[in-house]
Structures are given as C-alpha cells and as structure tokens.
Amino acid sequence: MTHEIRKRGRETAGCAKCVTEKQLLHSCAEAAGVPSRFSFSMTISCWRMWFQVFIYLVALCSLTNTSIYWHSSSKGQHKASVFADLTPQEMTSVHNFLMGQENLGLVSTQSKLLAKNSIFMIDLHMPKKRNMLKFLDQDGPKPVREARVVIFFGDQPAPNITEFIVGPLPYPYYYRPFSYKGNRSMRYESRPMTSLENGYIYKKLVELLEPASHILLETSGFSLSNCTDQCLTYSDIAPRGLEPGERRSWIILQRFVEGYFIHPIGVEILLNHRSTAPSDWTIEKIWYNDQYFDSVSDFVASYDGDIIEKMKLPEYSKDDLYSTYIPRGKFKTKTNIHGPKFCETQGKRYIVHGNYVEYAGWNFAFRIRLSTGLQLFDIKYNDERIAYELSIQEAIAFYGGATPAAMQTKYIDSGWGMGNENFELAKGIDCPEVATYQDIYHFYDTDKPVRYKNALCIFEQPSGLPLRRHFNSNFNGGYNFYGGLENHMLVVRTISTVYNYDYIWDFIFYQNGVIEVKVHATGYIHATFFTPQGLQYGSKVYDYVLGNMHTHLINYKVDLDIAGAENSFETVDLEYENITNPWSPRHRIIQPKLQRLQRLTEREAAFPFGKPMPKYFTFYNPNKQNRWGAQRSYRIQYNSHGDKVLPRGWREENGISWSRYQLAVTCQKDREETSSSLYTQNDPWEPTVYFENFISNSERIVNQDLVAWVSVGFLHVPHSEDIPNTATPANSVGFFLRPFNFFDEDPSVASRSTVIVRPKDSSFSKAEIQRWTPAIVGLCVAEKPFQYNGTYRQD
C-alpha cells in the first residue's frame, strides 16, 4: 500500500492549509484508505502512538493535492488519458515505425524534392464512442491507443494523399488505410502547403519576376532580391484554382515590414505550381494598378513603353509605420502604469492533472486536434455527463474585392493547420499571469515533434458581476436582507494565429451549470491595393490600402449526452392566443403561449441561414425527469449574427455545406467525426467531407444519441479603426449551453462564495454578515473585511 500511495502522491502536490488538524487527519486517512473513525479522546499513554500516526498522515497528505479531491482527480486523470494528445515519444515511435516500412518508400519531409513520399502529419486517432463509453462508464477495457497519419505520396506515377491508422501505441506494429465517409479520395493537389513548397514559391517569384525587378523597385521602393531592410514578401491566396485538380495561387506582393499584411504594393501574381518540379512553374497572370497582363514580358514591355498608367507608392518611413504597435497619441489619464491584475489570494480553486480538469462541479478532458484546434471531452457536472464532445470544427473567412486576389480569397482555415498554429501565450496579456500554462507538442510538416511552449492556458476569472443577487427593501429606508453570489468562471483558452488573423478560442465554465463557447477575432485585416471601385467591397484605411469585407463563420460540434445518450430534440417558440377573460367575460386577453415542437428527423432539425430561428433549442432525455416532472434538458442559446457566404451548391460552397445551417442535428456516427477536413481548402469543389450527406437520409432523431452542429459568425466590414489591427471588443461570437430543467434548482447554491447580510435591529446600525469564505480576502484586493449597510434614508 505504501508504494501505491507514494506513486499516486507524485501526481499531485500540496495540502490545504485551511483545514484543522482533525480534518486533516480524517481527510488524509480517507485518501490513504486508513479507517478514519479514530477516537480523539486520547489518553497520555496512547498519545505518542497517535502522534506518530498523525505525523505519518500529514506527510502523506503533503504528497497529495487537497485530499478531499484526491480520489476523484486521480480516477478522472486515468479516464481522461484516453483523450490525451500523443506524447513526443509516441509521435517519434510512429514516425520511426513507418519510416522503416520499405514498401512505403518514405523520405524525410526536409528532403529538397517535392516529388517524394513523406509523412506530413501525425495526430491522435479517436476510438469509437461506444468503446470509450464502456471504458468511462462501465470500467470496460481501455481502448487501444492509435495514431492517425497523413502521408503525401508524390513520388509515384499517380500522386495521392493517404491516411493511415497506426498502432498500438506506444509500440506500433501495424498500420491500415483510413477512409472518410463515402470513401472519397484526396487529390494530391488538395494537400496543404508545406514550408518547402512555400520556400520554392519565393525562389520562383524571384526568378520569374527578375525582368520586372526595376518596376517593383520604382513602384514600392522595395525589391524581392538584393535587398537588406527594404524587401518584398508575399501572401498566397486560396483556394488554389477554379476547379478540382488545379494548384494555381494568386499572390499579393507586400512590403516586408511589421504588419506587412496591410502593405500591398499593387502587384498581384497568378502562379501555377501544380507540378512537383518547380522548374515547370509559370506565371499565368499579373495584375498591376487595376490592369491585367498575360506574362511577365507583356507586363515589362507595357511598362517600359509607357503604354500603361504607372504608380508610385509614398516613400517608406520607419517613423510613420501605421501597422506598428508602438504607441502614438495621448489619453486624458495616464496609462504608463499597470492596470488591475488577476490574483489568487488563497491559491487555485481548480485542479489540472495532465489533460484532466476539475472546477466547482465540473470535470472534463481536453486535447488539441492539429487541423482544427481545441476539443473537450467527457464534460460532467457533479459526475453526470452533459456532453461527450465539444469541439472546434472549422473557421472560414470569405472575401469580396476588386482585385483578383480579393475575389479569390475564400479561407478555410483547417486547411492551414489551424490547430497547429497555437503559439506561445503572453502571460499577463493573452492570459493572466496566474493562469496554468501547458506546452503542446505537434507533428505537422516536420520530422520530429515540435514543442509549442505555453500554448494553452487555464484560469479562473471574476466577472465583476454577481452570479445572482437581491436587495430586499423594506420600502421605508431600510432592508430585510441582501444576498449576493460572486461570479467566477473557469476559462480554457488557446489562440490560433492563422497567417494574418488571430482567433482567441474560449471554453468557459460557470458555477451554475452553464458553458459558454466563444471566439474573439483579432490580428491584421486582409487588405488589398486600393482602387476606386474597391469601395464597393470595403473601406479605405490608408492612402493606397483597402480593407476588404468578409464574413467569418465558425462551426462547432456539440455531442450532448443529457442524462444519458438517448436524447430527443425540440424547439420552443411563442404564439399569441386571443381568449375571453375568464374573470371579466366582456373583455378579451391576448397573451403569449409556448409552442413546443418536437423535431422528428434530421431534416426537420436543420435550420438554414436566412430563415427565422425558434427562440429555444432544447435537447432532452425523454426517459428522465427532474424533481418537478420536467424533462431534463439543456438548451443552445446563440450569440451570433452570421449569415451564409455563398448560394447553396455554388462551386466552393460545396466544401462548406455545413455553413448552410445555423444549427443542424444529426444522429451520432463515428464515421461523421468532423464537418470539414484538412483538404477542403484546396479542393472545395469536390470535398473529402460533404456535410450535407450527414442529414440527407433524414434519420429519426427521437431517443437517439444526438450531435448538434452549431455555426456562428459575423460580417466584418473593415474600417479605419482596424489600423493597426482589429481589436477584440464587439468582435466575438459564440453560444451558450444552458441547463433547462436539468437540475432541481440552480446548482450554484453549492458555492461558498455567497454573502448574506441581515440587519440586527430596526435601527440598522449593525448587520449580521454571513459568509463561507474568509472575512479578509487578501492584500491584493482589500486590507479590511467586507462591510455592508443597505439603508437609504433621506438626509
């Protein structure tokens, strides 16, 4: 037993300082499995023996986290491990195993050839849900741990992309092909860009544009080659073509300065880079100052012959860099001192063990999927599952504009490895200094695992708003009582920087059983060169810069398991009835009445953009009721003003058919794991995953395991205040998961952060303050205890 206790003890640390010795003895004894019914009426003769036991248990407790949480957190961490990201050792073992399979013909991803067979990505392969639930709920066998691997087969007559499932981990000895629903294949041209291909694009631009180098220099003062601090860079646009099998990218040339995304020089290039031999790549079109050219030679001849209208950008000055973060201007109050900061005066009130989290009544597991980002699993409140999965599926930004690059820009961000773009979080800015930070390891376009330091944070924050409160007036200058509950919530956050945009992903847990899912958009706008007709598609934000309009849409997967996996779905709306007044028959009453409508099939539960939405969307268990006879339910509540981005069935729209719906409800299927894929960005016309197929058979959704696919978003018309870049206020959307008769009462009554104040007498000169937390919070907040006097007599 001693060995097992010590082993477990190393997984946690620290013992609560606020418990009494007697409480400590009981708690630690319980954690150790030692009977806790000690007699504390000790005689002198047995004092020494009890003292030794006490010292032993205190030492034991010092090896564990707060002992009352020991059992649940230890078991929870064990269960959550099935959802954990692959470790660096597991990634390495998978890589080494596959590299040793001679029939695959694999070479290093760093090899200078594009025509090669190489591993692009290694990620966790999620077991089937039914097997996971057997392990989680029935102490069944732990599912086999496997990896999902993406391999680019470019060194063969018909190049393709193939995915494999590799296992078992940590010592794999088998691999098998993986196919998506419908067995759709992945064209080689649909593969995501690699760092190697990007490097060849830059070299090819330098080579092919060399005859036009004097034009670039005269136009912008910058050049692609032979430059020091005044160099050009580029942004590449997707999708890469106009139909399947193409790989042609429009490229925007920009001044390479801080915030180069908003420094276009008025030259855009259409590069055909479909071939795996960069020597075959060609420039097919050039756009310059609102004029098109079919080749570099045509462009140069027209420019040198003064046939076209030339342009010259304002001379670059480091002192007038509008895209920089360096402060300029003044406020009325000083900002050169620190503002308010987070503090944890008595330590953390949540527990993080690996990928397992406990907070208030909540516990859940988390991981990062390389293509899309943060996923939460096995979300429970008071040990009762609310959702099996809550995860980011896709983020898109579809643009409009007058330049060819702007017309073509339809970003589908999983194709850029959105989950791989979780870089280090700045303590005190991206997350509070006191947050819990975790490193993330990824295997994406590499030969070995890459560590992203402090890429995920977890913290508890006060809202500055009560969760509940009431001032009960006596309507005569005094009060009967005041009651209030501090509102704190736990935040799990990552930030994806997908080229120019930064998405701040938050999953927020409230003490009253509510989950908020939110994304903030910030970063730099996607800008093109300003032309007069461009004002139809955005705003002029600098002398020669247009901020292009675009619509953001985010898709989430919400696999709800409300009081079990057998759920149904209904909408609740309002209708008005016109009835005779029962207590005054000569009058009539018009009043609202609830209109409940059970949705029986997947098609009935698909709600397209552009049509009125019901007020409530509720998922309930038909077989479970709360104390008051109501069906135990959770509801989805929207915070969004998104809209569709393209007409239904229009070419690129096929790849994002999930964006047709604000909400779609389907039966859970392991083959319908995601609504999008890594390959949609570069082949949206015939996508690997076609979401419409999820609901096309319109299965019954009564008393079934249901999944909600939630889409939220907003239209962004850039404006001058987006310079230097976009701010987060008013640029956030999301939704809430709210209990709706799931509990018998508000579960936050369990919180000890409540304060109740009652007057002691009719003079209100003294008050009885009842609270369940220490009277003095701490020096970082106040040096005096909480006080309250609710009288309001007139002077």
Side-chain angles (χ1 to χ4, degrees), residues 731-745:
N731 280 318
S732 65
V733 292
F735 61 97
F736 293 85
L737 297 176
R738 298 184 60 184
F740 187 68
N741 296 318
F742 185 85
F743 302 100
D744 295 334
E745 62 179 350

Side-chain angles (χ1 to χ4, degrees), residues 374-390:
L374 192 57
Q375 296 179 286
L376 305 187
F377 289 97
D378 198 25
I379 303 170
K380 294 182 178 180
Y381 192 97
N382 288 343
D383 295 327
E384 191 167 18
R385 185 173 296 111
I386 304 298
Y388 175 75
E389 179 182 353
L390 179 55

Side-chain angles (χ1 to χ4, degrees), residues 302-437:
S302 299
Y303 184 92
D304 291 346
D306 293 327
I307 298 174
I308 62 175
E309 182 181 348
K310 299 180 181 180
M311 63 176 179
K312 183 176 177 62
L313 271 59
E315 188 174 344
Y316 168 70
S317 171
K318 290 183 179 179
D319 297 328
D320 187 29
L321 185 57
Y322 56 91
S323 57
T324 184
Y325 267 75
I326 296 175
R328 48 195 181 269
K330 293 182 179 179
F331 281 142
K332 291 183 178 180
T333 60
K334 57 185 178 181
T335 57
N336 58 348
I337 59 173
H338 284 288
K341 297 287 185 179
F342 278 75
C343 65
E344 297 172 337
T345 58
Q346 294 173 314
K348 299 187 185 304
R349 305 199 306 175
Y350 61 92
I351 297 172
V352 180
H353 283 165
N355 72 318
Y356 176 73
V357 180
E358 287 186 354
Y359 171 70
W362 294 103
N363 60 269
F364 55 89
F366 65 87
R367 71 170 297 261
I368 303 292
R369 182 166 54 199
L370 280 170
S371 58
T372 59
L374 192 57
Q375 296 179 286
L376 305 187
F377 289 97
D378 198 25
I379 303 170
K380 294 182 178 180
Y381 192 97
N382 288 343
D383 295 327
E384 191 167 18
R385 185 173 296 111
I386 304 298
Y388 175 75
E389 179 182 353
L390 179 55
S391 61
I392 305 161
Q393 293 294 297
E394 189 59 275
I396 65 173
F398 277 35
Y399 286 75
T403 77
M407 298 174 193
Q408 183 68 1
T409 303
K410 297 173 179 64
Y411 288 139
I412 305 173
D413 286 334
S414 66
W416 301 77
M418 183 166 61
N420 182 60
E421 306 296 330
N422 299 141
F423 302 103
E424 182 174 3
L425 301 170
K427 295 183 179 181
I429 301 174
D430 294 328
C431 306
E433 294 97 329
V434 298
T436 298
Y437 292 84

